[in-house]
Amino acid sequence: IQGGKGYSITIDRPTWRPARALYLDEARVALSPFEGQLRVGGTMEFSGFDTRVNRRRLDGIRASAFRYLREWPAGEVETAWSGLRPLTPDGLPVLGRMPGYANVFIATGHGMLGITLAPSTALVIAQLLRTGVSEIDLSPFRPERFVSPSARSPARM
């Protein structure tokens, strides 16, 4: 799992905001209104554990948004943010029992879909914790898909 750095700009009391969240697909920019604010987010970069804000990335979000917007939703204060999201090499989350442990479960690697996939992830992890199995086939998401057969250790309890 590697951190993918995403960026956003949160605008306090914007001059306008959409009634609901919007995703500008080709631009890969999301607009999320909430409690007197508007968050405009997008872009992804791999920069290790560096969470510093790169102004060029924020400028890129603005430029991409302008492909759809007549004007920027200026506000009283704009707060720039960057943070890491867990990404996997194959783009799929990691869900299930951790190899080698009977009592450790993993639910990570959702990338930019963490909030979107949270209810489904909670359901399957709750089923695993309660019964040891899930109603959904989790084989594409199994944690051991990233472990070579020779690196596997005996089960630890």
Side-chain angles (χ1 to χ4, degrees), residues 137-149:
D137 175 16
L138 295 178
S139 59
F141 311 107
R142 66 193 187 289
E144 61 271 16
R145 72 188 191 267
F146 300 115
V147 179
S148 68

Side-chain angles (χ1 to χ4, degrees), residues 22-45:
L22 298 175
Y23 184 65
L24 311 177
D25 190 44
E26 292 88 359
R28 306 269 194 264
V29 171
L31 289 87
S32 302
F34 62 98
E35 300 178 6
Q37 297 178 317
L38 176 65
R39 180 164 294 145
V40 183
T43 199
M44 179 69 70
E45 71 180 355

Side-chain angles (χ1 to χ4, degrees), residues 7 9 17 19 29-30 54 57 64 69 79 95 101-102 124 131 133-134 141 150-151 155:
Y7 289 85
I9 303 163
R17 64 183 192 166
V29 171
N54 179 333
R57 292 290 185 163
S64 294
L69 308 177
T79 305
L95 304 171
Y101 295 87
V124 298
T131 67
V133 295
S134 170
F141 311 107
S150 62

Side-chain angles (χ1 to χ4, degrees), residues 3 27 36 66-67 88 96 107 122 140 146 149-151 154:
F66 271 122
R67 292 173 46 198
T88 60
F146 300 115
S150 62

